[in-house]
């Protein structure tokens, strides 16, 4: 049995070297200044108005895309979970498929449609409607993120809904519950774990996103991801970039802790 | 939930379906458009495809992507599977700690993971194919472990011990009894590691060496420069490739219904 433990050895070395150590290096850079002296300045830099604005915009857009995804995906997952029979597998597959299509490719497709002389405006012009200048705005970034991450909201909610025992709904109907009541008292609480993992899967990547903002937002709108990226690629201020990365990481872990708390709380009350 | 979807509900599903696929469809149509404009149809052409395969930059990005993704998924699968087998006999506390560490690359923002590995390599080695490979393996292993671990927990100890009672060595018993049970988990873990590596942009962007590109980082560069129909052609090929791969995977899992779990 002891020999069997050794099989985990290579991975433990890997995890120490390429998961823990790199994070420690980020922490080291974040806590030192350019001369190598200890300093908190890189953390405090988040209060710089430009950085605060970027963080605020990131939170706002991430929140927006999460809410829109949820509002769109929840009814969709509910309807899909009602479908049965031969074709349902293919239909679900089709909704999951965009997840497997290269992320950059989907951004490219949106760029083509939204740009000022793109397809959307051609269509609006054809219908004699006012042209929209969506490209290089916050709306474009919001559309991009929602489009890219929507499947990540659909899948967990759909999975949670499929797990709901149909006998529960029948029992509720037998006991006199209306459709609305059984939806509110059974489907919503039991699909909540799926909703929460959906929210995490959309919110976390969208808060740190920089490529979508770069392509669809031009360089006009800076998100916190763009600020961090530029500290590394343009200004080579690794200390500041590391400090801001750690702040971003803290934000992510706080929001995840909050989500996990609501999950366990809800489980507690539903039992 | 036993009711069939109503017409209104079907329309809703159709609408979302349309919104999800319209951009990709337009991309495919434009890849055959002779006119460089996105709104004027200039006739059907294969020119962009021909240009694509004569573009050395594109070809080298495809080669890098394939080599990187295959080796990263393979290493991640081996590393993750052995880790699961080893960790399954760990004490509960140390197993918990390892699983927490394993979750870090999955839950952390990609940008932080990318920067962290970049800093490690810049400080102690240099950026290049190796740093990309390490980053992609690190990203893939958690998904392998997540797929193999539950399978390993489901296998019964009794058959494994029975095999050893009957004279099989632990390795032989493992090979004959446990491995066939966890094989579907290993397979789906490999596929996930593969697709995540192929799809990754952020981590590659930070860990790639100068002048190197994967398909994702190349599309990004081209998209920043402006519109390039060659990229639409590449996108169409990638999209069809994914359709074919998923179709094969779907068929292979459908023909083995007892192993179908993911």
């Amino acid at each position: 049995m002891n020999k069997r433990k050794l099989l985990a050895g290579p991975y433990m070395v890997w995890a120490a070297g390429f998961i823990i150590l790199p994070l420690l290096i980020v922490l080291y850079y974040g806590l030192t200044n350019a001369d190598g002296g200890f300093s908190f300045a890189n953390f405090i830099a988040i209060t710089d108005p430009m950085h605060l604005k970027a963080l605020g915009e990131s939170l706002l857009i991430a929140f927006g895309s999460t809410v829109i995804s949820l509002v769109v995906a929840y009814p969709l997952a509910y309807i899909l979970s009602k479908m049965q029979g031969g074709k349902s597998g293919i239909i679900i597959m089709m909704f999951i498929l965009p997840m497997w299509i290269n992320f950059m490719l989907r951004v490219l497709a949106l760029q083509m449609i939204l740009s000022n002389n793109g397809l959307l405006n051609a269509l609006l012009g054809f219908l004699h409607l006012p042209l929209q200048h969506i490209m290089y705005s916050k709306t474009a970034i919001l559309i991009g993120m929602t489009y890219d991450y929507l499947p990540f909201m659909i899948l967990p909610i759909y999975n949670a809904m499929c797990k709901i025992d149909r006998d529960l709904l029948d029992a509720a109907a037998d006991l006199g519950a209306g459709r609305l009541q059984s939806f509110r008292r059974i489907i919503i609480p039991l699909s909540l774990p799926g909703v929460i993992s959906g929210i995490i899967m959309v919110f976390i990547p969208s808060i740190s996103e920089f490529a979508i903002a770069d392509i669809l937002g031009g360089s006009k709108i800076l998100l916190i991801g763009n600020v961090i990226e530029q500290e590394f690629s343009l200004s080579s201020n690794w200390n500041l970039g590391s400090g801001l990365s750690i702040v971003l990481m803290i934000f992510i872990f706080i929001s995840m802790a909050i989500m996990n708390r609501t999950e366990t709380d809800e489980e507690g009350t539903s039992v | 939930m036993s009711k069939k979807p109503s017409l209104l509900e079907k329309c809703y599903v159709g609408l979302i379906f349309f919104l999800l696929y319209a951009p990709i469809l337009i991309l495919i149509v434009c890849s055959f458009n002779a006119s460089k404009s996105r709104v004027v149809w200039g006739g059907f052409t294969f020119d962009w495809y021909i240009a694509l395969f004569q573009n050395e930059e594109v070809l080298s990005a495809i080669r890098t992507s394939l080599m990187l993704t295959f080796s990263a998924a393979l290493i991640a699968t081996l590393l993750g599977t052995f880790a699961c087998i080893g960790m399954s006999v760990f004490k509960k506390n140390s197993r918990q700690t390892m699983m927490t560490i394993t979750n870090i690359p999955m839950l952390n923002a990609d940008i932080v993971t990318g920067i962290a590995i970049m800093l490690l390599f810049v400080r102690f080695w240099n950026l290049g194919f190796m740093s990309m490979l390490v980053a992609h393996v690190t990203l893939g292993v958690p998904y392998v472990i997540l797929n193999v671990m539950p399978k390993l927990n489901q296998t019964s100890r009794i058959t494994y011990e029975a095999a050893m009672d009957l004279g099989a060595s632990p390795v032989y018993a493992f090979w004959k009894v446990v491995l066939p049970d966890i094989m579907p988990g290993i397979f789906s873990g490999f596929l996930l590691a593969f697709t995540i590596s192929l799809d990754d942009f952020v981590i590659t962007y930070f860990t790639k060496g100068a002048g190197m590109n994967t398909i994702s980082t190349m599309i990004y560069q081209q998209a920043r420069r402006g519109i390039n129909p060659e990229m639409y052609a590449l996108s169409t090929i990638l999209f069809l490739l994914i359709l074919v791969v998923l179709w094969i995977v779907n068929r292979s899992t459908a023909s083995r219904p007892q192993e179908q779990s993911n």
Side-chain angles (χ1 to χ4, degrees):
Chain A
M1 270 304 163
N2 268 335
K3 270 196 204 151
R4 199 169 153 182
K5 269 187 194 172
L6 291 178
L7 286 174
Y11 174 62
M12 287 174 79
V13 173
W14 189 282
F18 299 123
I19 298 177
I20 307 288
L21 184 63
L23 287 178
L24 290 178
I25 294 178
V26 173
L27 197 64
Y28 167 78
Y29 270 102
L31 284 171
T32 50
N33 55 29
D35 311 321
F38 180 83
S39 127
F40 272 120
N42 300 316
F43 288 92
I44 297 164
I46 192 68
T47 53
D48 178 293
M50 187 191 114
H51 296 157
L52 267 187
K53 185 168 175 261
L55 185 65
E57 303 247 33
S58 298
L59 282 171
L60 204 69
I61 291 179
F63 183 74
S65 71
T66 310
V67 170
I68 298 172
S69 305
L70 182 60
V71 169
V72 172
Y74 197 86
L76 185 77
Y78 175 66
I79 299 166
L80 289 179
S81 72
K82 288 202 293 189
M83 291 183 175
Q84 289 135 23
K87 267 192 283 180
S88 67
I90 295 168
I91 295 170
I92 279 80
M93 191 81 171
M94 294 304 280
F95 276 97
I96 308 306
L97 182 67
M99 262 165 74
W100 303 77
I101 299 169
N102 194 299
F103 159 85
M104 266 301 138
L105 193 157
R106 284 178 281 156
V107 180
L108 189 74
L110 276 185
Q111 180 198 34
M112 195 174 63
I113 293 175
L114 295 180
S115 56
N116 288 343
N117 54 353
L119 214 76
L120 181 71
N121 273 341
L123 191 70
L124 289 176
F126 181 73
L127 296 171
H128 298 290
L129 291 168
L131 301 186
Q132 302 291 320
H133 298 285
I134 295 177
M135 198 63 178
Y136 307 129
S137 70
K138 268 181 243 173
T139 319
I141 302 177
L142 188 63
I143 293 174
M145 287 196 187
T146 311
Y147 178 67
D148 255 356
Y149 298 126
L150 182 64
F152 294 91
M153 185 67 94
I154 299 174
L155 186 62
I157 300 180
Y158 170 76
N159 281 340
M161 289 216 179
C162 284
K163 276 190 203 138
I164 296 175
D165 193 343
R166 289 231 224 99
D167 293 346
L168 283 177
L169 296 170
D170 292 340
D174 284 348
L175 294 169
R179 277 177 69 188
L180 196 69
Q181 200 180 8
S182 67
F183 185 77
R184 197 167 57 83
R185 302 280 295 269
I186 296 174
I187 295 177
I188 291 184
L190 287 180
S191 62
L192 205 67
V195 171
I196 286 174
S197 43
I199 290 176
I200 290 177
M201 283 175 82
V202 174
F203 188 77
I204 305 289
S206 36
I207 194 172
S208 58
E209 181 53 53
F210 71 90
I212 296 178
D214 233 11
I215 293 173
L216 299 178
S219 38
K220 283 184 205 155
I221 296 148
L222 281 184
L223 301 185
I224 191 71
N226 298 86
V227 173
I228 294 174
E229 188 255 332
Q230 287 177 5
E231 290 306 332
F232 283 95
S233 65
L234 293 179
S235 34
S236 314
N237 189 344
W238 293 2
N239 303 94
L240 181 56
S242 302
L244 294 177
S245 306
I246 294 166
V247 174
L248 178 67
M249 219 167 105
I250 292 169
F251 256 90
I252 288 172
F253 285 126
I254 289 175
S255 45
M256 232 140 50
I258 294 171
M259 290 318 290
N260 283 332
R261 247 190 93 118
T262 35
E263 187 173 26
T264 43
D265 279 359
E266 286 298 330
E267 269 170 13
T269 51
S270 64
V271 169
Chain B
M1 288 212 172
S2 46
K3 284 204 176 69
K4 279 210 179 307
S6 67
L7 185 68
L8 186 74
E9 290 173 331
K10 275 182 187 159
C11 288
Y12 183 73
V13 173
L15 177 73
I16 305 297
F17 187 79
F18 172 76
L19 289 178
L20 271 180
Y21 279 93
I24 297 162
L25 254 171
I26 294 166
L27 206 71
I28 292 175
V29 171
C30 280
S31 76
F32 295 109
N33 187 358
S35 155
K36 235 182 167 173
S37 156
R38 282 146 291 169
V39 289
V40 180
W41 180 252
F44 185 89
T45 180
F46 276 118
D47 284 358
W48 307 121
Y49 289 85
I50 296 164
L52 182 73
F53 284 106
Q54 285 165 348
N55 187 335
E56 191 43 47
E57 195 193 342
V58 174
L59 292 179
S60 116
I62 294 174
R63 270 197 299 272
T64 313
S65 262
L66 287 181
M67 236 160 65
L68 178 69
T69 298
F70 261 112
S71 20
L74 204 65
I75 297 172
T77 307
L78 286 175
L79 214 56
T81 307
F82 281 125
C84 284
I85 297 164
M87 285 197 296
S88 62
V89 289
F90 274 19
K91 292 213 173 60
K92 202 182 170 207
N93 273 347
S94 36
R95 192 156 81 175
Q96 206 88 54
T97 315
M98 275 316 283
M99 287 312 273
T100 310
I101 295 171
T102 299
N103 278 333
I104 294 176
M106 253 185 341
L107 299 178
N108 205 349
D110 280 357
I111 190 170
V112 181
T113 311
I115 286 169
I117 294 178
M118 179 194 83
L119 286 178
L120 175 81
F121 272 84
V122 171
R123 209 173 155 84
F124 297 110
W125 292 281
N126 46 34
L127 293 177
F129 188 77
M130 272 315 278
S131 54
M132 280 201 283
L133 185 63
V134 164
H136 280 230
V137 171
T138 308
L139 194 65
V141 176
Y143 293 92
V144 176
I145 291 180
L146 218 66
N147 274 282
V148 176
M149 212 50 161
K151 288 272 173 222
L152 204 59
N153 291 337
Q154 278 168 22
T155 55
S156 92
R157 291 192 62 84
I158 300 165
T159 43
Y160 175 68
E161 276 163 12
M164 291 211 284
D165 282 348
L166 292 169
S169 69
V171 176
Y172 187 78
F174 178 82
W175 190 259
K176 281 286 180 191
V177 177
V178 181
L179 195 66
D181 274 350
I182 62 173
M183 211 53 204
I186 296 176
F187 183 64
S188 50
F190 174 82
L191 272 184
L192 257 181
F194 187 90
T195 43
I196 279 162
S197 162
L198 195 63
D199 194 41
D200 177 71
F201 164 73
V202 178
I203 291 177
T204 319
Y205 177 79
F206 283 106
T207 54
K208 77 191 175 75
M212 282 186 125
N213 262 331
T214 62
I215 294 173
S216 296
T217 56
M218 186 190 53
I219 297 179
Y220 172 73
Q221 279 181 0
Q222 299 279 354
R224 285 192 80 182
R225 264 181 236 162
I227 304 300
N228 183 349
E230 277 174 41
M231 288 301 108
Y232 303 161
L234 179 65
S235 306
T236 306
I237 295 172
L238 285 177
F239 178 69
L240 294 178
L241 215 64
I242 284 161
L243 266 185
V244 171
V245 169
L246 279 181
W247 184 70
I248 292 170
V249 170
N250 215 18
R251 277 199 54 159
S252 72
T253 46
S255 59
R256 292 175 303 175
Q258 76 279 13
E259 288 175 5
Q260 192 176 23
S261 61
N262 282 305

